[in-house]
Amino acid sequence: MKEDPTLERHFKGHKDTVTCCHFNPNMKQLASSGMDSTVMVWNFKPQMRAYRFLGHKDAVMSLKFSPSGHLLASGSRDRTIRLWIPSVKGESTVFKAHTNTVRCVDFSADGQSLLSSSDDKTIKLWTVHRQKFQASLNGHVNWVKTAKFSSDGRVVGSGSDDKSLKLWDIASKECIHTFFEHSGFINDVEFHPNGTCIASANSDCSVKLWDLRMNKLLQHYQAHGSTVNSVSFHPSGNFLLTASSDSTLKIMDLIEGRLFYTLHGHKGPATAAAFSSTGEYFASGGADEQVMVWKTNFSGDEPTSSAPKPSKREHVHKFTRDSNVVSAQPAEGKAVSVLSQPKDCSAPDCEPVNVGPALFNLPANQTNQIDQQTNPDNNKDIFNNNAMTTPLEPQSIPPQLAATLEHMVGQLDVLTQTVSILEQRLTMTENKLKECLDNQQMISLQIKPND
C-alpha cells in the first residue's frame, strides 16, 4: 500500500533564500546553496555538524555533487565556479568561468566533464581532472538559466530567458534542435532517466515534457499558481517533482499523466527540489531559508523502459487540440501538509562549522581537532583526491595585490570576450566574401558563352 510523503527533518543555517539542493550519491550528505553566498553541506550521520563553505563573494546560484560524491561544484553570481572537497577542510579550486552570473553547474554521468551556464548567454564545458576549458556553446540570445547533461553524456539541454529550450550535440558542439513553444522563461530543465524526453520548469507556471525522438511536446502540466523554479525526475522515471513560487511542491504521475501530490511545507516560494539517487528521499529549499528532507514513501515501481506516454483517460485530464499533448488539471492529486514537527537540525548540537578563509588562520593542531570532532571516522577513502584542489583562500597574497590581480583577470575576461566577438565577425566576413566570389564566378560563366 502506498503511503503519503512525510517531512523527515529540516535544516536551518542559511541566512537568505535557498537556491539549490542536491544529495550526495553516497546518501551521507545533502548540499544546499543560497543567496547568502554560502554552500552548506548537511551530514545525515548523528552528532556530525554541518559545514558552511565560505569563499564565494556573491549569491551561490547552483551546486551539484559529482557522481562519485568526491567533489561538489558550485556556481555563483561572482562569475566563478568552485570545486570543493565536501569535508571540514573546505579545500576548493576556483574557475574564472564566465563574464556574468553563473546560473547552473552539472557533471556528466562519468564525472569527467563539468557544464556551466551563465547570464553571459553562453554554456561552457570543462574537464574536471585537468580543470581545463573545453568548449563554449553559443546560440541563446538571453540569460541561460539552466543546462544539464543527458544520462549518456552525449547531449546537453539548456533553457534560457529567450524562451527557448535548446539541445546540443557534445561531439560537434552544435545545436541540434530548438523548442520555441514557451510563453515564459525557462528556469530549469532535466532529462528523463532513460534519455527519451526532457522536462522544463517555466515562469508561465507550467511544466512541459518534450519527446526527444519526435521533437514535439509530450505532456503539459498547468498545475502551479506561480513560477515553477525546479524540476527533478524520480530515478524510476515514473514521477516528476516540481517546486514553485506558489510555496508548494508537486509530484506528477507521468504514467497516468496527472497531478499526484501537492506538498505544503515552505512559507513563501519553494525555490529548489531534488530526488535522491535512490528515490527514497527528496529535498526542497525555499525563500524561508529552510532546507527540508522528505521521505517519498510511495514506490517508484520498476524503471520504465520507455518515456511517459499520454493517457487516454479523459476523466483524468483534458486534451488540447493536439491529442498527443496532455494538460493536467490542478484539482487532481492529494494535498499533504506538514502536521508533525520534524527533527530541527539547526539545534545547538548541530551548529554548522564555518569552512573558509578563517579556518586557514587557525593553527594546524586546532584545525585537526575540529576535523576529528566533526568527522570521527575520517572518511579518507571518499576524499582522497587532494591533487584536484587548492586551498580556498591562500592568506599569503596581500589584499592590494589580490585586488590588482582580480582587476587584471576581469580585464582579461573582457578581452577574451572581445576576441571571441571579433572571431565571429571575421568568420561572417569570410563567408560573405566567399559568397561574393562564388557569385562573381557564376556571372563570369554565364557571360562567357554569349561571347
Side-chain angles (χ1 to χ4, degrees), residues 165 188-191 197-201 208-210 231 233 240:
L165 191 161
D188 193 21
V189 297
E190 183 159 317
F191 284 91
C197 67
I198 189 170
S200 65
K208 295 182 178 181
L209 268 71
W210 302 88
V231 289
F233 280 102
L240 183 70

Side-chain angles (χ1 to χ4, degrees), residues 80-130:
T80 69
I81 297 169
R82 284 181 180 257
L83 280 180
W84 309 83
I85 290 182
S87 68
V88 73
K89 292 179 181 177
E91 296 171 319
S92 71
T93 299
V94 184
F95 288 56
K96 296 291 182 181
H98 289 271
T99 58
N100 210 329
T101 300
V102 181
R103 288 281 178 176
C104 187
V105 290
D106 191 35
F107 283 97
S108 59
D110 61 7
Q112 300 298 310
S113 298
L114 180 68
L115 184 68
S116 61
S117 67
S118 168
D119 285 359
D120 65 11
K121 307 173 191 174
T122 68
I123 302 153
K124 293 189 177 181
L125 291 165
W126 313 81
T127 57
V128 174
H129 295 297
R130 293 191 177 187

Side-chain angles (χ1 to χ4, degrees), residues 123-322:
I123 302 153
K124 293 189 177 181
L125 291 165
W126 313 81
T127 57
V128 174
H129 295 297
R130 293 191 177 187
Q131 301 162 15
K132 299 272 187 182
F133 169 74
Q134 273 188 312
S136 185
L137 308 178
N138 300 296
H140 284 292
V141 294
N142 207 330
W143 296 353
V144 187
K145 290 279 191 69
T146 178
K148 302 285 178 66
F149 280 107
S150 62
S151 54
D152 61 10
R154 293 192 288 185
V155 178
V156 165
S158 62
S160 167
D161 275 8
D162 63 13
K163 301 182 182 180
S164 73
L165 191 161
K166 289 183 180 290
L167 301 175
W168 308 82
D169 177 62
I170 290 298
S172 66
K173 311 296 188 292
E174 296 291 331
C175 178
I176 53 177
H177 190 75
T178 302
F179 296 107
F180 287 109
E181 297 174 44
H182 289 85
S183 57
F185 305 144
I186 302 173
N187 296 321
D188 193 21
V189 297
E190 183 159 317
F191 284 91
H192 189 272
N194 67 15
T196 56
C197 67
I198 189 170
S200 65
N202 310 302
S203 66
D204 63 0
C205 315
S206 72
V207 176
K208 295 182 178 181
L209 268 71
W210 302 88
D211 190 324
L212 302 182
R213 297 162 297 185
M214 304 295 291
N215 287 333
K216 63 189 294 185
L217 186 62
L218 181 66
Q219 291 184 354
H220 175 202
Y221 297 92
Q222 199 72 37
H224 282 288
S226 189
T227 297
V228 185
N229 299 308
S230 182
V231 289
S232 178
F233 280 102
H234 188 276
S236 69
N238 295 343
F239 303 99
L240 183 70
L241 172 66
T242 64
S244 169
S245 293
D246 64 9
S247 82
T248 68
L249 306 174
K250 290 182 186 284
I251 297 173
M252 315 296 179
D253 183 336
L254 303 181
I255 303 303
E256 296 292 331
R258 66 183 177 92
L259 181 59
F260 194 30
Y261 283 109
T262 297
L263 306 173
H264 300 271
H266 289 282
K267 297 175 182 177
T271 50
F275 273 112
S276 66
S277 57
T278 61
E280 186 180 356
Y281 295 92
F282 59 92
S284 62
D288 56 5
E289 305 171 8
Q290 291 193 80
V291 177
M292 298 184 174
V293 178
W294 308 72
K295 191 166 185 182
T296 306
N297 286 330
F298 57 85
S299 170
D301 299 323
E302 69 281 354
T304 55
S305 58
S306 60
K309 296 178 181 178
S311 171
K312 302 299 181 186
R313 295 168 55 190
E314 292 189 349
H315 66 279
V316 174
H317 29 292
K318 69 179 181 182
F319 288 82
T320 64
R321 279 178 291 179
D322 183 348

